[in-house]
Amino acid sequence: MTNNLFHTFELDTQGIALPQRFTYPFRYTPHPLCLLAVEQVSRHIELMGEWKTQLSQGKMLGVLVAQDAEGTLGYLAAFSGGVAGSNRHPYFVPPIYDLLQPNGEFKQGEALITALNHRIATLQQSPQFKLLKVRLAQAVALHSKEQESYRHAMAQAKLQRNSLRNNGTLNATQQQQLTRESQFQKAELKRMKKRHAEQERVTEQAIATIVGEIDALKTERRLKSERLQERIYRLFRVNNARGEEKDLIEVFHHYFNHHNITAGLPPSGSGECCAPKLLQCAYEHHLTPLCMAEFWWGKSPVGEIRHHGHYYPACDSKCKPLLSFMLQGLDVEPNPLASPQEPAMQPLNIVYEDEWLIAIDKPAGLLTVSGKQHNDCLQARLRQHCPTALVVHRLDMDTSGLVLAAKDMATYKLMQAQFANHSITKCYIALLDGMVPQGQGTVSLPLRADIDNRPRQLVDPIHGKVAITHYKVIEHQAGHTRIAFTPVTGRTHQLRVHASSPQGLNCPIVGDMLYGKAHNRLHLHAQSLTFTHPITKEPITLTTPVPF
């Protein structure tokens, strides 16, 4: 294999044990060898000049540590998509299929679609088309004005006829004359409408002819685009560690069928992420993959949360179907979420209890209610203490702190109503990775689910739901900020996103594997709850000690 792709370690790797299993790419802590590889890639980028500037706008990079046939330890490096108008650059692995080949099928097909776009734009912007639309608008306005004017004249004539009739001096002939006048005017209005419609129809037909041409071209463009996409995905051929080969259409259809998902073309950009490019290069050059990591370089994209130098899992929508095939034949770490290390069964830490309510200090790592794959949860443990208990609200599995439960359905509904109308005050304590300079303030960023990477959330001012958080800095300590959060709304991952987003505090919560860096735990704790007792109507404030 050429040396410009498989790079040996410049730093000492003695004493670093090889990973026993390959990285589970959707939730992992980077192996020390990956950290060394990323350090070397970072140094290489710093020497790249103009290309470094391009990368600084934001790009996902990745490394794959491997051994060659002689047992030499090294790594491959990759970037997602393309950079500086190319997806081939020295030092980094090539694309699985080069979409940017000047004479390749994609470029040729793209040229045909671009030509159709030009034809569509030419018709849409043609002086004739614009003039016809102006003429039609003017005619419609003029005809509407004429009809309205005639209706007004008819109304005035009707008033005059009614006045004459009310005088009682008209003979039969005069009565008939007034009736014929009314009938004539109504008929004339109908003739006017018909005449106007015929005049408008001539222009409408001319417009419809051009619109028909545009629609036909759009249909042709859509069909060519779909055929081109399918053809290109047939050219994206990937391997797995068993030596099997499939194209992207085969891989995705098998995944869709296995997971009962409506089959369709793979998402745009499939096969261009770091993870599949790295694995494909390793297989093609007979390297043995050992571990892998992906990290962000440069600015965060708008709406998403990416921090320079932080590690991120592979994406779900494009990479999960692909990697489910490409990882076959490797001994891969298990999904930690499929068998999480729940806190050992210990006596419940009951903070408050009376005839109607019970409050528990939930440990980090325990689900509040059962999930699809796990039965152990706070509610299940709580029901061993009180069989009728119903958890009123939830905390993320990784968040510790106060959870309130009701002992009967009536109390449950009363407490749910308090949460729904925001009359309950919650305070969370968090340790942030970074320095928040302001003493206090408010973050208001609308959030929605990232449908391609659940359970991650995005900042989306158009489709997101309002999310508001008040905060107050408690202290700064060794590059970290201890902070108190008071959420006004209760969106999924609200505090985590508001803390980590560049549009928010730009300081992820320590231990946030989704939006920051892994640590021994997520440093977020629901410290206090203030509410009105649903039965006694007394104000109650509950607190728990912060475990970090």
Side-chain angles (χ1 to χ4, degrees), residues 162-334:
N162 289 341
S163 177
L164 291 171
R165 290 186 179 115
N166 292 335
N167 286 337
T169 60
L170 298 178
N171 57 36
T173 301
Q174 291 172 323
Q175 288 279 7
Q176 291 175 356
Q177 185 178 356
L178 292 179
T179 300
R180 285 195 295 272
E181 179 185 284
S182 174
Q183 291 172 341
F184 173 82
Q185 289 178 340
K186 290 177 181 177
E188 181 61 19
L189 180 61
K190 289 181 179 179
R191 288 190 289 271
M192 180 185 290
K193 288 181 177 179
K194 184 178 181 181
R195 185 169 62 254
H196 288 166
E198 289 173 351
Q199 292 171 358
E200 293 170 11
R201 191 175 298 116
V202 174
T203 308
E204 287 172 343
Q205 288 174 345
I207 291 173
T209 298
I210 298 175
V211 170
E213 292 181 52
I214 292 172
D215 289 343
L217 289 171
K218 286 182 176 180
T219 298
E220 183 181 357
R221 179 181 64 183
R222 177 178 57 80
L223 293 174
K224 284 185 181 297
S225 179
E226 290 174 354
R227 286 195 292 268
L228 176 62
Q229 265 194 307
E230 182 168 2
R231 174 59 185 154
I232 294 305
Y233 286 139
R234 293 290 185 192
L235 295 174
F236 268 87
R237 302 194 65 83
V238 294
N239 298 97
N240 61 22
R242 296 171 181 166
E244 299 166 335
E245 182 182 69
K246 289 184 178 181
D247 63 49
L248 261 61
I249 298 290
E250 295 173 309
V251 169
F252 274 80
H253 278 197
H254 180 271
Y255 182 87
F256 290 159
N257 290 335
H258 183 71
H259 291 84
N260 296 317
I261 300 172
T262 302
L265 288 175
S268 178
S270 296
E272 298 184 73
C273 296
C274 296
K277 289 168 69 172
L278 290 165
L279 284 167
Q280 185 63 20
C281 186
Y283 295 147
E284 289 178 350
H285 292 87
H286 309 291
L287 300 175
T288 301
L290 299 177
C291 54
M292 181 170 63
E294 295 181 76
F295 63 103
W296 187 258
W297 187 278
K299 296 179 182 177
S300 178
V302 176
E304 291 187 73
I305 297 170
R306 297 283 187 266
H307 291 274
H308 178 75
H310 286 202
Y311 293 87
Y312 293 93
C315 64
D316 278 1
S317 63
K318 292 180 285 190
C319 288
K320 188 162 260 184
L322 198 49
L323 297 184
S324 68
F325 169 74
M326 297 186 75
L327 292 174
Q328 291 176 19
L330 293 180
D331 184 11
V332 181
E333 295 171 345

Side-chain angles (χ1 to χ4, degrees), residues 426-484:
K426 296 171 283 185
C427 180
Y428 292 75
I429 303 299
L431 188 65
L432 305 189
D433 187 5
M435 305 291 279
V436 178
Q438 300 90 346
Q440 59 186 19
T442 299
V443 179
S444 180
L445 295 176
L447 306 179
R448 70 164 176 86
D450 183 348
I451 57 175
D452 292 332
N453 293 291
R454 294 183 186 275
R456 292 178 62 90
Q457 304 292 304
L458 297 174
V459 176
D460 187 340
I462 298 175
H463 302 106
K465 294 182 178 180
V466 174
I468 301 171
T469 304
H470 301 310
Y471 68 88
K472 184 176 182 180
V473 172
I474 299 172
E475 63 175 341
H476 295 110
Q477 50 188 69
H480 294 86
T481 301
R482 185 172 291 271
I483 199 166

Side-chain angles (χ1 to χ4, degrees), residues 79-97:
F79 53 84
S80 63
V83 178
S86 175
N87 50 25
R88 290 181 180 271
H89 290 280
Y91 192 88
F92 294 92
V93 303
I96 297 172
Y97 172 77

Side-chain angles (χ1 to χ4, degrees), residues 84-130:
S86 175
N87 50 25
R88 290 181 180 271
H89 290 280
Y91 192 88
F92 294 92
V93 303
I96 297 172
Y97 172 77
D98 193 350
L99 293 170
L100 302 181
Q101 294 177 65
N103 298 315
E105 288 193 42
F106 178 74
K107 281 296 184 182
Q108 291 180 17
E110 189 179 49
L112 293 175
I113 293 171
T114 299
L116 287 172
N117 286 333
H118 288 320
R119 290 172 63 187
I120 291 169
T122 299
L123 286 171
Q124 290 174 329
Q125 301 301 321
S126 68
Q128 180 191 7
F129 191 46
K130 290 181 177 180

Side-chain angles (χ1 to χ4, degrees), residues 61 83 131 171 231 305 326 340 346 354 392 522:
L61 303 172
V83 178
L131 180 59
N171 57 36
R231 174 59 185 154
I305 297 170
M326 297 186 75
Q346 296 178 351
D354 62 21
V392 178
L522 178 70

